[in-house]
Amino acid sequence: MELQQLEGIATAVRRDILRMVAAVNSGHPGGSLGCTDFMVALYFDIMRRKLDGDGKPVFDMNGHDEDLFFLSNGHISPVFYSVLARAGYFPISELATFRKLDSRLQGHPATAEHIPGVRIASGSLGQGLSVACGAAYAKKLNGDDKHVYVLMGDGEQQEGQIWEAAQFAPNKKLGNLTAIIDLNHAQIDGTTQNVNDNRDLAAKYRAFGWFVDEMEGNDISDVIRTLRKSQEDPDVPTMILMHTEMGFGVEYMVGNYKWHGTAPNADQLQQALNGLPLSIGVTDY
């Protein structure tokens, strides 16, 4: 897909995120906006997904012979739901039910809701890397040559389970695994440096045996270049430190951790939407 088309989809996704959380005065817009470009590049350019004859995704939980994605930092569900809907997994109109009673689109994704595209429940942080390791290991055992991706938050690196999985992946030579850390330096209580400093994540993962790379997460072209490069060594897992700005795309939210879990009010919503004009042929839900 052309870069201009991807950027148009990213703008639509950002509008979705803002309208979803504003409608229920609940949700996590900051990290969702920051990860939008990555998620759009992943689903609309990088991942090898199963499609039917009409180009619509075919989803099954087994995930054999297709690339897999796991969202570990499940609180950024608004961007995940929007991208899944715009990629054809379920109707875009369903985004209007976000966090409402009896909706499939809970605040954190849940497999019990049987949402196409959602493979794990990810409310508790720290579990996604372990799940991705298991999926990547299963693919190797099954002779499946497809790839596994997982997105984590940088605050999430403070979880102990992360480091058990970090040791497992290189030991099992999971070169079919690419993990991405959203390095926005913000979590719910402040900056990661002030809450519980992660210090040198690149050095830590290299010490565990990972290939470590970095990319600008708010530059779709750089995301695509870096993700393609991550699959070069069949025996070494890749960890990508993705530099993003919390709230990217909305001027008054950029870089402010207070938007981690705060919804815009009606005036703030309109101000944000005015700065995110839709491309021709792309519509709101």
Side-chain angles (χ1 to χ4, degrees):
M1 187 175 289
E2 296 294 327
L3 178 60
Q4 187 174 4
Q5 292 175 283
L6 294 171
E7 290 174 340
I9 295 170
T11 295
V13 168
R14 287 191 165 95
R15 291 176 64 91
D16 291 344
I17 292 165
L18 293 161
R19 296 172 73 226
M20 289 161 67
V21 299
V24 291
N25 193 30
S26 181
H28 294 78
S32 294
L33 291 165
C35 288
T36 294
D37 301 301
F38 162 75
M39 291 290 290
V40 168
L42 184 69
Y43 271 85
F44 290 89
D45 189 276
I46 294 294
M47 285 179 63
R48 294 163 292 180
R49 301 181 290 122
K50 287 183 181 175
L51 304 174
D52 64 17
D54 296 322
K56 295 182 179 179
V58 177
F59 178 76
D60 66 82
M61 289 296 285
N62 184 56
H64 181 68
D65 197 32
E66 64 175 327
D67 289 349
L68 304 181
F69 170 73
F70 296 99
L71 177 68
S72 188
N73 49 334
H75 55 277
I76 65 167
S77 62
V79 65
F80 192 25
Y81 293 148
S82 172
V83 167
L84 288 176
R86 292 191 175 274
Y89 286 89
F90 57 84
I92 294 174
S93 59
E94 191 172 348
L95 297 176
T97 72
F98 175 69
R99 279 185 176 245
K100 295 181 179 178
L101 290 176
D102 300 320
S103 171
R104 296 194 297 175
L105 308 186
Q106 297 185 20
H108 294 80
T111 51
E113 304 300 334
H114 304 292
I115 307 168
V118 175
R119 299 186 182 278
I120 60 168
S122 50
S124 297
L125 294 174
Q127 299 176 1
L129 185 58
S130 297
V131 176
C133 284
Y137 194 32
K139 282 189 177 293
K140 293 201 78 168
L141 293 174
N142 291 334
D144 183 343
D145 67 351
K146 298 304 187 291
H147 209 79
V148 177
Y149 300 89
V150 58
L151 174 64
M152 303 175 285
D154 52 359
E156 189 175 6
Q157 303 307 297
Q158 298 158 6
E159 297 279 353
Q161 184 173 338
I162 292 286
W163 298 99
E164 296 178 54
Q167 178 174 285
F168 179 90
N171 288 341
K172 297 301 180 182
K173 298 183 178 181
L174 300 183
N176 58 341
L177 172 63
T178 297
I180 300 97
I181 298 173
D182 176 23
L183 208 64
N184 63 16
H185 306 288
Q187 57 192 105
I188 194 167
D189 290 328
T191 65
T192 53
Q193 182 179 2
N194 289 335
V195 174
N196 193 13
D197 196 350
N198 287 313
R199 301 188 186 277
D200 193 341
L201 285 173
K204 289 179 180 180
Y205 277 99
R206 287 193 183 101
F208 274 74
W210 293 67
F211 169 71
V212 178
D213 206 348
E214 301 190 36
M215 69 184 179
E216 295 301 322
N218 298 130
D219 180 339
I220 291 177
S221 295
D222 195 46
V223 170
I224 291 171
R225 283 193 300 269
T226 308
L227 289 178
R228 287 179 177 164
K229 185 172 60 173
S230 75
Q231 302 180 29
E232 292 180 351
D233 193 321
D235 293 327
V236 179
T238 296
M239 178 60 66
I240 299 174
L241 305 182
M242 180 173 73
H243 300 278
T244 70
E245 291 277 2
M246 176 166 283
F248 189 84
V250 178
E251 186 175 357
Y252 63 81
M253 290 187 182
V254 172
N256 189 340
Y257 76 87
K258 294 181 180 180
W259 292 103
H260 172 90
T262 302
N265 61 33
D267 290 339
Q268 290 168 330
L269 172 63
Q270 193 56 56
Q271 180 184 345
L273 294 178
N274 288 343
L276 293 165
L278 285 168
S279 300
I280 295 174
V282 182
T283 60
D284 282 328
Y285 61 78

